[in-house]
Amino acid sequence: MEIKRIKMTKLFEILFPKYIWRIKTSEKKIYLTFDDGPIPEVTEWVLAELKKFGAKATFFCVGENIENNPAVFEKIIKSGHAIGNHTYNHLKGWETDDESYLNNFSFCQYAIEKNNLSHSLLFRPPYGRIKKSQAKEILKSHKIVMWSVLTKDYDVKFSPEECLKRTINKTKPGSIVLFHDSLKAEKNMKYVLPNFLKHFYDLGYEFEVIN
Ligand SMILES: [Zn+2]
C-alpha cells in the first residue's frame, strides 16, 4: 500500500510537470502550507505556533474568508508569511465550467490584492482538482503549487497521534506539507503542528515560504 502511494505521487509529478509538487533541495528545509483560511478561530493560533519556532509558511486563502476576516489576513502578511490564491468560493475545478472557475480565481486575486500591496502569484486548486484548460490559463500568471505530504488533518479516521506519525514519516528535505487552518481540521492540526515543528526544528530544519 505504501509503495503504491509513493508511485502515485511520482506518477502525478510525471503527468503534471508544470505543477510544483516539492522544492528540489537536499538542504534541511520544509515548506509548510495552510489551506482554506483565514479564519480567526484557527489561523491566529497557527500564527502563534509558527512564531515560536521562527517558522514561515504559505497560506492558500479562500477569497470569501479574506473578505470576512481582513484583520487576520493582514496579520498573516505582517508576520512575513506568503499568500496564495485558493479561489473565492473553494470551487471544484472538475465540476465547474472554465469561465466560472477563472472568474472565481480572479475574485480571489482581487481580494488578495485589495488587502495586500504585493502581488501573489501562487495558486492551489481546491481538492487538487483542476482541468487542464483551467490550469493553462492560470499558469500564464501564477505558479500552481500542489503538495508532496498530505497531513490528512481533516480526516476523522485518523487520531491526532496517527496523523502526526504518518506526516513525520513522509516528510523529507524540500517537502511541501499541506495543513488546513479550518474548523474541520482543527482537532488533528492543533496536535500535529506543534509536535511536527518541534520534531523537525530539533533536527535542524528550517521552515520557509514558497516563492
Ligand atoms: Zn482547500
Side-chain angles (χ1 to χ4, degrees), residues 35-36 86 90 126-127 180:
D35 287 10
D36 301 357
H86 199 47
H90 207 257
Y127 314 98
H180 293 85

Side-chain angles (χ1 to χ4, degrees), residues 5-76:
R5 196 175 292 138
I6 290 163
K7 280 185 180 164
M8 280 302 279
T9 312
K10 286 251 157 70
L11 183 65
F12 284 138
E13 286 192 43
I14 293 162
L15 282 175
F16 304 103
K18 287 179 182 164
Y19 305 166
I20 297 168
W21 296 90
R22 61 198 160 85
I23 308 298
K24 288 181 184 74
T25 180
S26 54
E27 289 179 65
K28 289 184 171 180
K29 292 183 192 296
I30 293 170
Y31 299 83
L32 302 174
T33 63
F34 293 87
D35 287 10
D36 301 357
I39 56 167
E41 301 90 329
V42 186
T43 310
E44 303 248 20
W45 182 90
V46 169
L47 292 174
E49 286 304 309
L50 293 174
K51 198 175 175 186
K52 287 180 196 167
F53 294 90
K56 299 297 177 207
T58 305
F59 289 78
F60 288 92
C61 297
V62 172
E64 193 176 25
N65 286 339
I66 296 174
E67 299 276 24
N68 290 335
N69 308 297
V72 186
F73 182 69
E74 204 180 314
K75 205 168 171 185
I76 299 173

